């Protein structure tokens, strides 16, 4: 148990984390470490922390554990630094094996990794063959429990929206970048869909109705270049996420402007949000302000905290695997 093999350390980042006073995230993938209890996991976290940072600035204490689906558990700890500052520690456990340890470091805490930092690049076999043909996920997905209503999340707070100033920028590697108002979106033609929605934490909701612009309409308008591999999404609250281009253009993906026949309410993303039914809910960014077509992977908010670059529900892609 004491022998920890750190396979790779990545530095990951998202602008949104700045609002949480985090300036660096160090994400270590570790080889096959079996853990049986929280004290076990704490010991492991401490070992990894020492090999990454050397001497620790304070004690490493337990904060909480939560299950993520049936397969994963996220254990949170803190390395206490004086004056109530701390470095956050997240250990991702799949089954009985710890697979990654992440450290969230505030700007005013002086602690530096001594290990070599690699650049995280998702495996490119994503782009070979197993692209979803449909956004509907049949039956009850593994590790999900159905509840009646979606839980509202606003990890960076609910932004104030002034519709007279709001536009959606669609840009990057495209022939014709555009900036769209809400009436512009309606003019592109909206469609109504009924979908099941799946949050990575394990809840799902059946039969939500959304109205919005199918992504095909947007793609026809801006004409992405052949080199595009990802769509990076930014929101007014500085939330962000990233979606493989193939999944973004799957049938049924919407830039939604209505839910249950009424404009989205403030909490659900007014004036516009993404609805990507076949990917876990964190990819369905609310209060969107910018879509950037790109050939480069880059973490969004949750991806920077270890969550999967793609997040397919049918494949249970909850956390990064390499
Ligand atoms: N801007 C923004 N978009 C977001 C989130 C968020 O915190 N901020 N949470 C995500 C997560 S984790 C989920 S499950 C869904 C939840 O959608 P709802 O709040 O409409 O139920 O929104 C996603 N989009
Ligand atoms: Mo979620």
């Amino acid at each position: 148990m004491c022998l920890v093999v750190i396979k790779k350390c990545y530095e990951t980042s998202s602008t949104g984390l700045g609002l949480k006073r985090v300036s660096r995230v160090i994400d270590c993938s570790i080889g096959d470490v079996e853990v049986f209890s929280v004290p076990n996991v704490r010991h492991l976290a401490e070992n990894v922390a020492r090999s990454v940072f050397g001497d620790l600035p304070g004690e490493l204490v337990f904060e909480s554990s939560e299950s993520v689906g049936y397969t994963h558990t996220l254990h949170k700890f803190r390395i206490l630094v004086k004056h109530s500052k701390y470095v956050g520690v997240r250990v991702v456990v799949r089954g009985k094996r710890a697979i990654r340890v992440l450290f969230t470091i505030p700007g005013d805490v002086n602690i530096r990794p001594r290990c070599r930092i690699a650049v995280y690049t998702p495996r490119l076999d994503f782009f070979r063959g197993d692209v979803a043909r449909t956004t509907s996920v049949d039956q009850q997905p593994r590790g999900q429990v159905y509840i009646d209503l979606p839980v509202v999340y606003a990890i960076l707070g609910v932004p104030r929206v002034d519709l007279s100033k709001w536009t959606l920028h669609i840009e990057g590697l495209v022939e014709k970048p555009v900036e769209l108002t809400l009436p512009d979106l309606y003019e592109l033609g909206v469609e109504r869909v009924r979908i099941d929605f799946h949050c990575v934490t394990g809840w799902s909701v059946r039969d939500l109705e959304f109205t919005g612009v199918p992504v095909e309409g947007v793609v026809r308008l801006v004409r992405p270049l052949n080199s595009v591999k990802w769509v990076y999404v930014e929101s007014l609250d500085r939330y962000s996420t990233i979606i493989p281009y193939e999944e973004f253009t799957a049938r049924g993906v919407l830039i939604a402007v209505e839910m249950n026949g009424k404009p989205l309410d403030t909490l659900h993303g007014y004036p516009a949000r993404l609805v990507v039914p076949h990917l876990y809910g964190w990819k369905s960014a609310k209060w969107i302000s910018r879509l950037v077509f790109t050939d480069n992977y880059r973490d969004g908010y949750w991806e920077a905290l270890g969550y999967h670059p793609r997040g397919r529900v049918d494949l249970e892609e909850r956390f990064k695997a390499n």
Side-chain angles (χ1 to χ4, degrees):
M1 217 310 277
C2 287
L3 196 81
V4 188
V5 180
I6 299 180
K7 290 203 284 195
K8 268 191 177 147
C9 286
Y10 305 102
E11 176 147 7
T12 68
S13 73
S14 153
T15 48
L17 288 163
L19 295 183
K20 297 265 164 177
R21 300 185 61 253
V22 171
S23 71
R24 303 184 82 175
V25 180
I26 304 297
D27 173 6
C28 306
S29 70
I30 55 178
D32 253 16
V33 185
E34 237 179 335
V35 286
F36 301 98
S37 63
V38 170
N40 248 200
V41 178
R42 199 197 79 87
H43 188 62
L44 163 78
E46 196 164 331
N47 280 344
V48 174
R50 283 188 200 289
S51 45
V52 172
F53 300 108
D55 282 339
L56 301 184
E59 205 190 339
L60 189 147
V61 301
F62 177 69
E63 185 187 319
S64 62
S65 299
E66 58 203 59
S67 49
V68 183
Y70 300 153
T71 42
H72 291 80
T73 315
L74 184 59
H75 299 278
K76 295 182 188 165
F77 302 84
R78 292 177 172 190
I79 300 170
L80 303 176
V81 186
K82 32 179 195 302
H83 312 306
S84 75
K85 294 184 212 166
Y86 64 89
V87 173
V89 183
R90 299 168 161 246
V91 182
V92 181
V93 175
R94 177 181 193 129
K96 289 214 175 312
R97 296 187 184 279
I99 57 173
R100 13 188 20 101
V101 180
L102 292 102
F103 301 95
T104 54
I105 307 172
D108 56 0
V109 170
N110 187 20
I111 170 174
R112 295 179 179 289
R114 306 182 306 180
C115 52
R116 225 177 71 87
I117 302 287
V119 176
Y120 177 78
T121 38
R123 288 168 35 198
L124 281 176
D125 54 0
F126 283 2
F127 301 101
R128 255 187 274 130
D130 65 343
V131 167
R133 292 280 161 247
T134 159
T135 50
S136 71
V137 175
D138 295 337
Q139 298 156 347
Q140 182 166 353
R142 272 182 46 201
Q144 297 296 112
V145 172
Y146 279 93
I147 58 173
D148 287 339
L149 288 170
V151 179
V152 169
Y153 289 123
I155 191 70
L156 299 174
V158 178
R160 206 165 293 198
V161 181
D162 177 351
L163 192 63
S164 69
K165 297 206 179 97
W166 180 85
T167 55
L168 177 62
H169 295 257
I170 308 180
E171 58 192 42
L173 300 176
V174 297
E175 281 180 30
K176 184 177 168 250
V178 294
E179 194 181 334
L180 303 172
T181 62
L182 190 55
D184 291 340
L185 283 173
Y186 276 94
E187 227 164 88
L188 285 176
V190 294
E191 209 171 83
R192 188 169 291 198
V193 300
R194 291 185 86 79
I195 56 118
D196 290 2
F197 191 85
H198 310 283
C199 170
V200 71
T201 59
W203 57 264
S204 295
V205 175
R206 264 186 238 284
D207 276 342
L208 290 178
E209 190 187 282
F210 286 100
T211 304
V213 182
V215 155
E216 298 105 272
V218 169
V219 162
R220 228 175 295 122
L221 184 68
V222 301
R223 299 190 301 274
L225 307 185
N226 285 332
S227 53
V228 169
K229 288 202 173 80
W230 300 93
V231 182
Y232 182 76
V233 184
E234 283 175 20
S235 298
L236 294 172
D237 53 342
R238 290 172 70 191
Y239 184 83
S240 53
T241 189
I242 189 156
I243 300 169
Y245 180 69
E246 268 89 346
E247 306 293 344
F248 183 77
T249 51
R251 263 202 63 75
V253 177
L254 289 188
I255 296 175
V257 291
E258 292 178 13
M259 187 174 170
N260 302 322
K262 285 178 288 190
L264 286 170
D265 65 51
T266 307
L267 293 177
H268 287 297
Y270 178 82
R273 75 175 299 170
L274 289 184
V275 172
V276 192
H278 65 308
L279 305 185
Y280 286 117
W282 90 83
K283 304 285 187 179
S284 291
K286 304 190 282 190
W287 310 293
I288 54 175
S289 56
R290 195 177 298 273
L291 305 177
V292 185
F293 291 80
T294 169
D295 56 357
N296 243 313
Y297 175 81
R298 139 188 202 207
D299 288 307
Y301 183 89
W302 287 112
E303 292 83 9
L305 292 172
Y307 288 84
H308 202 278
R310 181 166 63 177
R312 277 266 292 274
V313 176
D314 60 340
L315 303 176
E316 259 202 291
E317 292 171 333
R318 298 180 196 270
F319 289 95
K320 287 173 180 168
N322 57 328

